[in-house]
Amino acid sequence: MCRAAVRFVQERFGVSERRACGLVGLRRSTLRYRSHDRDDAAVRQRLAELARERSRFGYRRLHALLRREGMVINHKRVLRLYQLAQLGLRRQKRKRRPSVARGRPGLPTRPNQCWALDFVSDTLAWGRRIRCLTVLDCFTREAPAIEVDTSLPGARVVRVLDELAEQRGLPTAILMDNGPELTGQALDQWAYEHGVELRFIDPGKPVQNAFIESFNGRFRDECLNQHWFVSLPHARRIVEAWRLDYNRDRPHSSLGYLTPDEFAQQVWATMPEAPFEPAGLKL
């Protein structure tokens, strides 16, 4: 359209090309430009080869490799060829466990039927972050263990469960959320080998693990918020002392104001044989 306007001004008023371009507002280089087809076959082939060799490189890195090989090519042209060849990176989605045995579980009816796991975070006096793995028997409300460290990966969770298995046997099922430490291969393999069912709550539904959420609230309110931990060993001593006090001496309202140990002893007294001692008595 602009080129036609320039030609019209030239023919109608007899002015020069420079004058006509100035009146129309078009650069002379634009007026004289002639498009030409580019042979992209060589670039396409080399781009595909580099994409196969460097499968996790995006178009910008591939453009840099092409320039390094002496090809004078604009990054936008590389992007166009990259998209036409459908060489875009496929995002690696995080693998999750299948949605089986999820949702609100039924209430337990005996000890060791269902344990619950969760994590609580805190900091030392000088700012170092620590984590606490809390374990709860959902029926007796006993806390068999609270593991404290700066990092608690899946292998560490398995080690804690192995220690508890020697003390009080294995649970039928373990209820937990969808954290990476609990959905990883280490715990999944352990559960398969020991015949323990892993039950995962629905994402964003902590109420489905209400027993451990209530316990964590008491743990934070009565222990973590009441102490100033100066070191990791100090934090471990304080937390273990609180755990023993919780099991032995703290009345629990949902247990008729019995302690978890007292309630567990009453329950096991009505059963044929108690396979373990109450959690608070293990020193």
Side-chain angles (χ1 to χ4, degrees):
M1 183 64 71
C2 292
R3 290 178 180 177
V6 171
R7 299 306 178 198
F8 173 79
V9 171
Q10 282 185 286
E11 295 173 0
R12 178 69 176 80
F13 299 102
V15 297
S16 66
E17 181 183 274
R18 183 189 301 275
R19 180 62 174 166
C21 286
L23 292 173
V24 174
L26 182 69
R27 291 182 179 274
R28 294 175 67 194
S29 60
T30 303
L31 177 68
R32 295 181 177 184
Y33 175 79
R34 296 293 182 268
S35 63
H36 55 278
D37 295 332
R38 294 178 179 176
D39 184 8
D40 292 330
V43 178
R44 284 173 181 263
Q45 181 179 354
R46 185 54 184 155
L47 183 62
E49 292 173 355
L50 290 174
R52 285 194 296 269
E53 295 172 4
R54 309 279 187 171
S55 60
R56 300 308 301 167
F57 277 16
Y59 82 94
R60 291 187 181 274
R61 293 184 187 276
L62 295 176
H63 171 249
L65 294 179
L66 292 175
R67 293 291 296 268
R68 189 179 299 173
E69 294 179 359
M71 292 189 181
V72 181
I73 183 172
N74 188 278
H75 73 279
K76 290 183 287 186
R77 183 180 169 199
V78 172
L79 174 60
R80 179 174 59 83
L81 298 177
Y82 184 82
Q83 292 174 336
L84 288 174
Q86 297 182 350
L87 300 176
L89 291 175
R90 292 183 177 180
R91 295 189 178 274
Q92 296 179 342
K93 295 183 179 180
R94 177 181 171 185
K95 294 182 180 179
R96 289 188 176 274
R97 294 178 55 82
S99 296
V100 294
R102 292 184 184 271
R104 187 183 297 274
L107 293 176
T109 58
R110 57 180 175 80
N112 261 20
Q113 181 180 0
C114 180
W115 290 0
L117 302 183
D118 202 2
F119 292 93
V120 181
S121 298
D122 201 23
T123 56
L124 300 178
W126 46 279
R128 181 67 183 271
R129 182 171 176 265
I130 60 174
R131 303 190 75 196
C132 304
L133 169 66
T134 55
V135 185
L136 188 75
D137 188 311
C138 295
F139 183 74
T140 65
R141 307 299 200 274
E142 296 170 284
I146 301 178
E147 190 76 3
V148 182
D149 211 328
T150 55
S151 177
L152 294 170
R156 183 67 173 277
V157 175
V158 167
R159 192 174 79 184
V160 173
L161 293 175
D162 280 335
E163 294 174 355
L164 291 179
E166 295 179 359
Q167 298 174 10
R168 55 187 289 128
L170 291 170
T172 304
I174 298 178
L175 183 63
M176 50 197 174
D177 62 20
N178 300 272
E181 303 89 349
L182 305 178
T183 58
Q185 184 178 1
L187 185 58
D188 184 56
Q189 182 177 350
W190 177 88
Y192 176 79
E193 293 174 353
H194 293 82
V196 177
E197 179 186 359
L198 299 182
R199 296 178 181 174
F200 295 90
I201 65 173
D202 293 324
K205 297 293 184 65
V207 70
Q208 294 178 356
N209 201 1
F211 293 126
I212 196 72
E213 292 294 336
S214 176
F215 173 80
N216 288 344
R218 305 288 78 74
F219 174 46
R220 181 172 296 281
D221 183 52
E222 299 175 11
C223 180
L224 299 182
N225 291 349
Q226 300 298 319
H227 296 280
W228 190 256
F229 303 128
V230 297
S231 65
L232 186 60
H234 180 239
R236 287 171 174 165
R237 289 195 301 271
I238 295 296
V239 168
E240 181 63 11
W242 181 87
R243 184 188 73 85
L244 294 175
D245 179 76
Y246 174 88
N247 287 326
R248 293 173 175 175
D249 303 319
R250 183 186 184 279
H252 202 296
S253 59
S254 65
L255 303 178
Y257 289 96
L258 296 174
T259 67
D261 276 1
E262 291 171 342
F263 179 74
Q265 290 172 2
Q266 288 187 7
V267 171
W268 286 116
T270 63
M271 301 183 72
E273 183 178 356
F276 61 88
E277 296 179 5
L281 299 181
K282 303 298 288 185
L283 299 178

